[in-house]
Amino acid sequence: MNTPAEKNHNPSPEHNHEKCVSKAIGTAEHLCVVRGVQLTPIRHQVLELIWENHKAVKAYELLDRIKPVMDAAKPATIYRALDFLIEQGLIHRIESLNAFVGCNCSGHQHEQLLLICKQCNEVEERPATEVMQALSLEFDQAGFVVHSKALEIHGICVKCIGLNDKQN
Amino acid sequence: MNTPAEKNHNPSPEHNHEKCVSKAIGTAEHLCVVRGVQLTPIRHQVLELIWENHKAVKAYELLDRIKPVMDAAKPATIYRALDFLIEQGLIHRIESLNAFVGCNCSGHQHEQLLLICKQCNEVEERPATEVMQALSLEFDQAGFVVHSKALEIHGICVKCIGLNDKQN
DNA sequence: AAAGCTAATTTTATATTATTACATTCATTG
DNA sequence: CAATGAATGTAATAATATAAAATTAGCTTT
Ligand SMILES: [Zn+2]
Ligand SMILES: [Zn+2]
Ligand SMILES: [Zn+2]
Ligand SMILES: [Zn+2]
């Protein structure tokens, strides 16, 4: 496979991804202890796979990737782990892609604006405070009581624009 | 079937739905002529089914509902019609539900805020100008070039809140 | 009218995503 | 240790969506 999404495999040098991972896993472990829920080996495994990079990843991709380690894995295995991680706010489900991505705001305000790059498939999470405020006003005006939000934007991220420009 | 989503089947008296339908179908016919594209019988049929109400409707529900009239209908029949209607901006796809709803801003600005009621399943489209402006700023700050937006809010609509309150 | 072209449709098959149900195992605690 | 509830294993299937090839219908050109 060599789709556009697979290009740019190496993160930019100034991005220390090991740090991202250790922070995310550390936070997850801590939160689960605090909350008295179990970050079991399967759940831990899935969370690590999701955090291999900042790209949106599909459930069945995760299944394929976990099989070498856990031969018994079935769809339900993955979906159950994903459900748990979503409940605990450790990952986001991207509705418009049927895909998942690690959340790096875990524990704080969780419904962020997701900027999803069509070219590198990376997802940037943004608090977008002004947007959220404008949304609140809108809900008040409409008399609408919010339970959950999916705010997903598709386009080209700043890194890919830079790369594209260089190529010309 | 008698899920919560099927309650409130009668639109409020002040809502003349025939008017909604005739406006939507009229606009669609007009736009297709202007654009030199064909609103074929199948596409027209599907658009009418979608406009039976303001609720989100699933592709396979449409398939079931169109079969009595068009026995030959298959998934591809529906999905092609839906693709066409989406391309022409005549309906919205609701990513977080895998469902569809008529668009009543057809021809104008198309990416609106969708307020989706969990109780009655109706979808309200709102231009939400302030939100859109705040979003634009956010994209500029992020250096992100937008191709498309999915702005979907789930909760309880003002009508259902009213009904719920009366019941207490 | 016949041939050629294009958009739309039909048909069959299959891919992808997600859930259900039930049996079993594991961890915790009384 | 036994009871309990949480988590996992396993199989089957449901729900959503697309691919590909053959056919048809409506035009255009000759
Ligand atoms: Zn990173
Ligand atoms: Zn990118
Ligand atoms: Zn109406
Ligand atoms: Zn409602």
Side-chain angles (χ1 to χ4, degrees), chain B residues 11 15-21 51-54 104 122:
Chain B
H15 173 187
N16 179 350
H17 189 59
E18 285 177 26
K19 211 167 162 182
C20 298
V21 174
W51 271 103
E52 271 187 10
N53 53 48
H54 295 267
N104 44 38
E122 290 198 358

Coordinates of all heavy atoms in Angstrom, one line a residue, chain B residues 11 15-21 51-54 104 122, ligand 3:
Chain B
P11 N -46.4 16.5 13.0 CA -45.7 17.8 13.1 C -46.6 18.8 13.8 O -47.8 18.6 13.8 CB -45.4 18.2 11.7 CG -46.4 17.4 10.8 CD -46.7 16.2 11.6
H15 N -46.7 24.0 11.6 CA -45.7 23.6 10.6 C -46.4 22.9 9.5 O -46.9 21.8 9.5 CB -44.7 22.6 11.3 CG -43.8 22.0 10.3 ND1 -42.9 21.0 10.6 CD2 -43.6 22.2 9.0 CE1 -42.2 20.6 9.6 NE2 -42.6 21.4 8.6
N16 N -46.4 23.6 8.3 CA -47.1 23.1 7.1 C -46.0 22.3 6.3 O -45.3 22.9 5.5 CB -47.7 24.3 6.4 CG -48.3 23.8 5.1 OD1 -48.2 22.7 4.7 ND2 -49.0 24.7 4.4
H17 N -46.0 21.0 6.5 CA -44.9 20.3 5.9 C -45.1 20.2 4.4 O -44.1 20.1 3.7 CB -44.8 18.9 6.6 CG -43.6 18.2 6.1 ND1 -42.3 18.7 6.3 CD2 -43.4 17.0 5.4 CE1 -41.4 17.9 5.8 NE2 -42.0 16.9 5.2
E18 N -46.3 20.2 3.9 CA -46.5 20.1 2.4 C -45.7 21.3 1.8 O -45.1 21.1 0.7 CB -47.9 20.2 2.1 CG -48.7 18.9 2.3 CD -50.2 19.1 2.0 OE1 -50.5 20.0 1.1 OE2 -51.0 18.4 2.6
K19 N -45.7 22.4 2.5 CA -45.0 23.5 2.0 C -43.5 23.3 1.9 O -42.8 23.6 0.9 CB -45.2 24.7 2.9 CG -45.2 26.1 2.2 CD -45.8 27.1 3.1 CE -45.5 28.5 2.7 NZ -46.1 29.5 3.7
C20 N -42.9 22.7 3.0 CA -41.5 22.3 3.1 C -41.2 21.4 1.8 O -40.2 21.6 1.1 CB -41.2 21.4 4.3 SG -41.4 22.3 5.9
V21 N -42.0 20.4 1.6 CA -41.8 19.5 0.6 C -41.8 20.1 -0.8 O -40.9 20.0 -1.6 CB -42.8 18.3 0.6 CG1 -42.6 17.4 -0.6 CG2 -42.7 17.5 1.9
W51 N -37.7 13.5 2.1 CA -38.5 14.7 2.5 C -39.8 14.4 3.2 O -40.6 15.3 3.5 CB -38.7 15.7 1.4 CG -37.5 16.7 1.3 CD1 -36.5 16.7 0.5 CD2 -37.3 17.8 2.2 NE1 -35.6 17.7 0.8 CE2 -36.1 18.4 1.8 CE3 -38.0 18.3 3.3 CZ2 -35.6 19.5 2.5 CZ3 -37.5 19.4 4.0 CH2 -36.3 20.0 3.6
E52 N -40.1 13.1 3.4 CA -41.3 12.7 4.1 C -41.4 13.4 5.4 O -42.5 13.7 6.0 CB -41.4 11.2 4.3 CG -42.1 10.6 3.1 CD -42.4 9.1 3.3 OE1 -42.2 8.6 4.4 OE2 -42.8 8.4 2.3
N53 N -40.3 13.7 6.0 CA -40.2 14.4 7.3 C -38.9 15.0 7.5 O -38.0 14.9 6.6 CB -40.6 13.4 8.4 CG -39.7 12.2 8.4 OD1 -38.5 12.3 8.3 ND2 -40.3 11.0 8.5
H54 N -38.6 15.5 8.7 CA -37.4 16.2 8.9 C -36.4 15.3 9.7 O -35.5 15.8 10.3 CB -37.6 17.5 9.6 CG -38.3 18.5 8.8 ND1 -37.7 19.5 8.0 CD2 -39.7 18.7 8.6 CE1 -38.6 20.2 7.4 NE2 -39.8 19.8 7.8
N104 N -32.4 22.3 3.4 CA -33.3 23.4 2.9 C -32.5 24.7 2.7 O -33.1 25.7 2.7 CB -34.5 23.6 3.8 CG -34.1 23.5 5.3 OD1 -33.1 24.0 5.7 ND2 -35.0 22.9 6.1
E122 N -35.3 14.4 14.6 CA -35.3 15.5 13.6 C -34.0 16.3 13.6 O -33.3 16.3 14.6 CB -36.5 16.5 13.9 CG -37.8 15.9 13.6 CD -39.0 16.9 13.5 OE1 -38.7 18.1 13.6 OE2 -40.1 16.5 13.2
Ligands
ZN3 ZN -41.5 20.4 7.2

